[in-house]
Amino acid sequence: MTNSGALGGDAAARTVTDAVSEAVAALRPAADRDWSAVRAGRVEWDCLRTAEHVVSDLFAYATQLVTRAPEEYRPVEYVLDPPDIGAEGALEAVEAGGAMLALACRTAPRSARGFHPAPFRGAGREGFAAMGVAEVLLHTHDMAEGLGIAYRPSAELCGYVLARIFPHIRQGEDPWRTLLWATGRGTLPGEEPVTGWGWYNNPLVEAERLTLEGLTVPAAADLALGGDGGFDWVAGGPFEGTREGAGLVVAAYDKGAFRPQWGSYVLVRREDDRAVGSMGFHGPPDEEGRVEIGYDLAVAARGQGYATEALRALTAWALAQEAVGTVTARVDPGNAASRNVLERAGFLRTGHLVDDGGMLVLERRGEAA
């Protein structure tokens, strides 16, 4: 993996300012030209309108994050004024938008979320940073292509965008080329051209006292290497099972096989934004509609019903997906506490009682299963 991406608000802010700085440096030599007369690469806009789009996105993302817009975009429009401000004015506006998004990322708390439709209806500070960086990188490419000037962003920025919001795609040896291919702007050997695309922010599943936050690739990489994944953990966390699950996320990502909604989720206590454990799937559903779930709780958080609460919520979410008919779990027959958690969450000992490894298999079926 080229770059797992630094964690936290300050790191997210730096990615935005670095992306804007590189873009403006590449485009400024062409600022004496009439950008309204030049089409921006393959997009339908001219270069001035494309720059305005970048400005709009940067300011809009900052607004969504700062105001924690819950269900839709705030009713605010961001445009260049006057419309014929020219290339130099447009670049100044891009710099201003970048500064505003960076400030929002730096000052927003870790738990802050704002509405964004793609695809799980929300994003946090690192998600908005990655989306902002993607807009800057990709549309600077479009403008540079139209203007006939050279532009190639740093591999670190491209790796950050891919790891954070394109986790379903393998980076490969050249993350910039991969990002262009993933967004319909280039080709990759052995891969079909991309005609429709989208990015992924991490999913959330709400429980009574907990928020289950889908583990991003950068956070998983940090956890697998012994870090905290950007979370404030209760005493004794993260436990070993959480780190193992994070390692599975990284391994799947490196193979191009990671699917964000079927990965690991960190269990975050809403009252104090502290992580108490993790829970997740061993991969996407199989052809029979079966998916396996596992969980891990820090010692200090045990005995308070968190595991049962989270298991009920994540299992219900899974069974609501069209591809899932049965959720299974394996437990050591001697682990009465874990078995009790499963049974309280509605799992039953049906079918195979014990697998080949001597583990007890329990399952919960959907209504149509």
Side-chain angles (χ1 to χ4, degrees), residues 39-58:
R39 180 171 174 172
R42 303 181 187 183
V43 300
E44 298 178 354
W45 304 319
D46 60 53
C47 288
L48 192 63
R49 173 67 184 90
T50 303
E52 182 180 63
H53 174 76
V54 173
V55 173
S56 176
D57 280 341
L58 292 172

Side-chain angles (χ1 to χ4, degrees), residues 237-264:
F239 212 54
E240 190 58 35
T242 295
R243 298 198 187 280
E244 291 176 0
L248 293 176
V249 168
V250 175
Y253 174 68
D254 287 341
K255 296 176 183 177
F258 179 54
R259 300 297 176 264
Q261 62 271 50
W262 301 112
S264 292

Side-chain angles (χ1 to χ4, degrees), residues 98-124:
M100 290 299 291
L101 180 54
L103 180 61
C105 292
R106 188 172 288 116
T107 57
R110 195 208 66 81
S111 59
R113 303 276 299 191
F115 170 80
H116 188 277
F120 301 120
R121 312 293 291 178

Side-chain angles (χ1 to χ4, degrees), residues 282-310:
H282 293 188
D286 64 19
E287 295 180 355
E288 298 178 352
R290 300 174 68 87
V291 64
E292 184 176 347
I293 200 169
Y295 52 91
D296 181 47
L297 209 62
V299 175
R302 294 176 185 174
Q304 301 174 57
Y306 292 135
T308 301
E309 177 184 322

Side-chain angles (χ1 to χ4, degrees), residues 2-3 14-23 130 133-134 136-137 151 153-163 175-176 179:
T2 301
N3 178 37
R14 284 194 298 273
T15 65
V16 175
T17 55
D18 288 349
V20 169
S21 178
E22 287 186 8
V133 171
V136 171
L137 268 55
Y151 171 68
S154 66
E156 288 75 19
L157 288 172
C158 300
Y160 178 79
V161 170
L162 286 168
W176 177 227
L179 182 59

Side-chain angles (χ1 to χ4, degrees), residues 27 88 99 153 173 181 193 206 217 220 222 296 309 365:
L27 293 171
E88 186 58 45
E173 296 181 0
W181 166 78
E206 298 290 351
V217 171
D222 185 67
D296 181 47
E309 177 184 322
R365 298 184 179 184

Side-chain angles (χ1 to χ4, degrees), residues 68 73 359:
R68 306 192 196 185
Y73 281 112
M359 299 289 282

